Amino acid sequence: MCPCRASRRPRLNGATTLPHRSDALMSDPFADLLFTGGPVFTAGGGPATAVAVRAGRIIAVGHDLRALAGPSTEVVDLAGRLLLPGFQDAHVHAVMGGVELNQCDLTETTDLDEYLRRVAVYAQQHPDAAWIVGGGWSMETFPGGVPTRELLDRVVPDRPVFLANRDHHGAWVNSRALKLAGITADTPDPAHGRIDRAPDGSPSGGLQEGAMELITPLLPEVTTADRIAGLERAQRLLHSLGVTAWQDAMVCATNGYPEVSDAYLAAASAGRLTATVVGALWWDRDRGPEQLPEIVTHRERLTVGRLRCDSVKLMLDGVAENFTAAMTEPYRDGCGCATGNRGLSFIDPALLRGYVTDLDALGFQVHFHALGDRAVRDALDAVAAARAANGFTDTRPHLAHLQVVHPDDVPRFRQLGATANLQAYWAAHEPQMDDLTIPFLDPALAARQYPFGDLWRSGAHLAAGSDWPVSTPDPLQAIHVAVNRVHQGEDYEPFLPAQRLDLATALTAYTAGSAYVNRLDDTGTIRPGNRADLVVLDRDPFAAPASEIASATAAGTWIDGRQVYAA
């Protein structure tokens, strides 16, 4: 570089500058984008109040970067608002959520009359729809968590109705849907599910887990165009919440779940995918290692542009509310007595160890759905088998949900290099927890729920995700619960408050922690050289009481230095 050009390079006070950048990048001494005048949460570095960006990368982090502001620099005045790395959702179903936004939506309420009103209105507005499809209802609305077909028959007697609940582990159907599927009192429960029944044995209108597969093949086809529209709808929503990257937890799905890879492939190939997405390829629980060549082919075919599919999702159990989460102790009945049910293992634990070892050897990350403590132990045992066979490869396995973790297994996360992937929004008292979960869990299990604090103190790596559309995709709502163990505005007592995280730890889990899981190592923290995936909040939550964290919103979101959302 010529001396005269070098002499023009600005001097920075209290700043860390970008090392080892190309001459082409460094030929212009000024930033394209400069954030200044507010606190910066770097998620791993020291305090700062200014960040400079050029060509989509962070070039300086410090306190006085005015020398980097040139004639064409866009300056963002933070005005005391917090700048932080873009949130990354480590477990979400974005296409599914986006499609459901266009269906019969029962979210954001638990009122039965409101459910029925919405179903009736949707049916009236879609007179040509062969089926009424949607979901988002809460189990707490119904006695025992089980809805009845007669309720839906009142508002839609002439067309079949299929409505998934908010956790998507059960469905509410009407009589017409049951008839079309041929489900009667004589229909046996499938191996991985349950037909809810009236006292006379007839189907009552609830289908749990694999029993939904008795009807899902009959549902109207969701087209590729529908899925692409759903993805774009979801992407806009997630960007508006400050999310810049995510891991979709169900790509190339089987076992009755929707397949969404065509939407991602189309969007990535056309350059319409602005987020960075990792797809977790689905492990068919009804098959064995013969599917490995197909999974390898999927990885190659679906690694395009901003899409990379090198993770594999293994769903090990169900959920606690319908007694299908795999537990070490039996569920209780309504009288508090132990039953013979310890939940379901969707994949044989002995076979699981071999599957995970094979996947790890092929360079795949494994992404477990592990909700009950027996499922968590099975997942960790499988990771241990892979480590013993293959060594500590950099595949970054992670376990999502973790509602119940046995104390003996807490230190194993760090020992095995397995990340705890937290869906923190669930760690609060609410009717689904207090009425449908705690009374039916062994007291020892009930006291071990969502042990975020224990995992953190043990040295486990923490990531975070929403599981949207199961629950809100808003990271700040989940972070609020991680810190407070209560939902915003609720007057419940904090849920197992010893398991709280502090705000910095919760924010780090949703940024750097998830970036690590997503193997996006040049994101998740604010430091020179990293991609400028950033979000500005409308306030600084560190400057307000913890009870106000969820009041914060995203004011602007940037990916590679380009703004993708402005409030």
Side-chain angles (χ1 to χ4, degrees):
M1 182 180 294
C2 70
C4 62
R5 185 67 168 169
S7 67
R8 288 181 57 200
R9 295 185 58 76
R11 296 177 178 272
L12 308 178
N13 296 322
T16 303
T17 57
L18 174 62
H20 309 304
R21 300 301 295 155
S22 69
D23 288 343
L25 180 59
M26 298 304 287
S27 62
D28 184 344
F30 298 117
D32 302 325
L33 180 63
L34 177 64
F35 297 89
T36 187
V40 177
F41 180 76
T42 59
T49 56
V51 174
V53 174
R54 182 162 63 243
R57 296 273 174 175
I58 297 167
I59 59 169
V61 180
H63 294 286
D64 184 1
L65 304 182
R66 288 173 294 177
L68 286 172
S72 60
T73 301
E74 179 186 355
V75 178
V76 177
D77 182 6
L78 296 174
R81 302 172 299 173
L82 183 68
L83 174 69
L84 67 159
F87 295 120
Q88 297 195 23
D89 194 319
H91 185 107
V92 67
H93 305 280
V95 178
M96 183 189 302
V99 168
E100 290 184 6
L101 288 174
N102 204 41
Q103 295 178 334
C104 182
D105 182 13
L106 303 184
T107 61
E108 306 300 330
T109 184
T110 59
D111 183 77
L112 175 59
D113 290 337
E114 177 62 12
Y115 288 159
L116 297 177
R117 187 195 69 81
R118 292 188 192 182
V119 173
V121 168
Y122 186 89
Q124 291 166 5
Q125 293 175 345
H126 298 80
D128 297 327
W131 283 72
I132 305 302
V133 179
W137 54 272
S138 295
M139 295 175 67
E140 66 197 61
T141 302
F142 305 98
V146 178
T148 63
R149 54 187 170 86
E150 290 86 359
L151 291 168
L152 287 177
D153 291 345
R154 292 182 200 167
V155 292
V156 186
D158 56 339
R159 283 182 284 170
V161 180
F162 181 94
L163 303 167
N165 69 10
R166 72 178 188 184
D167 64 24
H168 292 70
H169 289 264
W172 181 17
V173 297
N174 67 351
S175 296
R176 182 66 178 157
L178 291 166
K179 183 177 181 180
L180 287 174
I183 301 173
T184 69
D186 298 324
T187 304
D189 288 344
H192 298 301
R194 185 182 73 244
I195 301 168
D196 292 319
R197 301 179 189 272
D200 64 359
S202 63
S204 62
L207 301 173
Q208 305 299 332
E209 300 292 350
M212 292 186 289
E213 295 178 43
L214 299 173
I215 284 186
T216 52
L218 304 177
L219 299 180
E221 178 187 7
V222 177
T223 67
T224 297
D226 293 334
R227 286 187 286 272
I228 292 171
L231 173 56
E232 294 181 345
R233 201 177 291 124
Q235 183 169 249
R236 290 191 295 271
L237 173 62
L238 291 167
H239 286 344
S240 77
L241 299 172
V243 177
T244 56
W246 65 78
Q247 184 162 153
D248 194 300
M250 193 185 299
V251 177
C252 296
T254 58
N255 305 120
Y257 292 102
E259 215 293 81
V260 300
S261 65
D262 54 353
Y264 279 119
L265 184 59
S269 300
R272 295 200 301 272
L273 192 63
T274 50
T276 304
V277 176
V278 177
L281 302 167
W282 183 258
W283 182 269
D284 188 331
R285 61 198 185 205
D286 294 329
R287 302 171 66 198
E290 70 275 9
Q291 65 190 288
L292 286 168
E294 298 169 27
I295 290 174
V296 171
T297 299
H298 290 324
R299 174 172 61 183
E300 296 169 355
R301 180 176 63 88
L302 297 171
T303 297
V304 178
R306 302 184 73 92
L307 174 67
R308 191 185 78 243
C309 290
D310 57 359
S311 185
V312 175
K313 168 75 173 296
L314 299 106
M315 186 169 176
L316 302 191
D317 65 341
V319 295
E321 302 88 62
N322 67 7
F323 317 129
T324 59
M327 301 292 184
T328 57
E329 300 294 336
Y331 288 95
R332 302 300 181 96
D333 61 20
C335 298
C337 300
T339 69
N341 177 27
R342 295 174 187 257
L344 299 176
S345 292
F346 293 149
I347 301 175
D348 182 287
L351 297 175
L352 177 67
R353 292 191 284 273
Y355 301 158
V356 171
T357 298
D358 290 344
L359 289 165
D360 182 78
L362 290 166
F364 284 101
Q365 175 186 77
V366 287
H367 177 167
F368 298 99
H369 168 118
L371 199 136
D373 64 337
R374 194 175 84 241
V376 172
R377 180 166 293 172
D378 290 344
L380 292 171
D381 288 348
V383 173
R387 298 302 199 198
N390 304 329
F392 273 69
T393 57
D394 189 27
T395 49
R396 310 188 191 185
H398 56 122
L399 285 69
H401 307 328
L402 306 175
Q403 180 164 351
V404 181
V405 182
H406 194 284
D408 293 348
D409 292 317
V410 168
R412 299 180 70 200
F413 283 81
R414 180 178 182 181
Q415 293 162 8
L416 294 169
T419 294
N421 185 339
L422 314 180
Q423 282 62 66
Y425 190 75
W426 304 346
H429 282 294
E430 58 172 342
Q432 190 157 311
M433 171 64 74
D434 295 345
D435 300 337
L436 301 179
T437 302
I438 291 175
F440 301 99
L441 289 182
D442 181 281
L445 300 184
R448 299 171 185 160
Q449 295 188 81
Y450 304 114
F452 305 156
D454 286 347
L455 288 162
W456 173 246
R457 288 183 286 271
S458 76
H461 184 89
L462 304 184
S466 66
D467 205 15
W468 181 66
V470 172
S471 49
T472 175
D474 185 353
L476 290 162
Q477 295 284 340
I479 289 165
H480 181 102
V481 177
V483 174
N484 293 285
R485 303 288 287 202
V486 65
H487 290 143
Q488 181 188 31
E490 298 284 357
D491 58 2
Y492 291 105
E493 289 295 314
F495 180 66
L496 300 176
Q499 302 302 332
R500 288 172 165 141
L501 299 176
D502 63 73
L503 177 56
T505 299
L507 284 171
T508 301
Y510 234 119
T511 52
S514 293
Y516 172 83
V517 159
N518 288 333
R519 297 195 274 196
L520 299 173
D521 293 336
D522 59 351
T523 70
T525 60
I526 295 179
R527 64 179 182 180
N530 271 13
R531 286 162 47 182
D533 290 2
L534 305 165
V535 58
V536 174
L537 302 185
D538 69 343
R539 69 196 70 192
D540 177 9
F542 287 99
S547 60
E548 298 178 11
I549 292 170
S551 297
T553 62
T557 307
W558 287 259
I559 294 177
D560 292 336
R562 183 173 67 87
Q563 191 161 16
V564 295
Y565 169 74

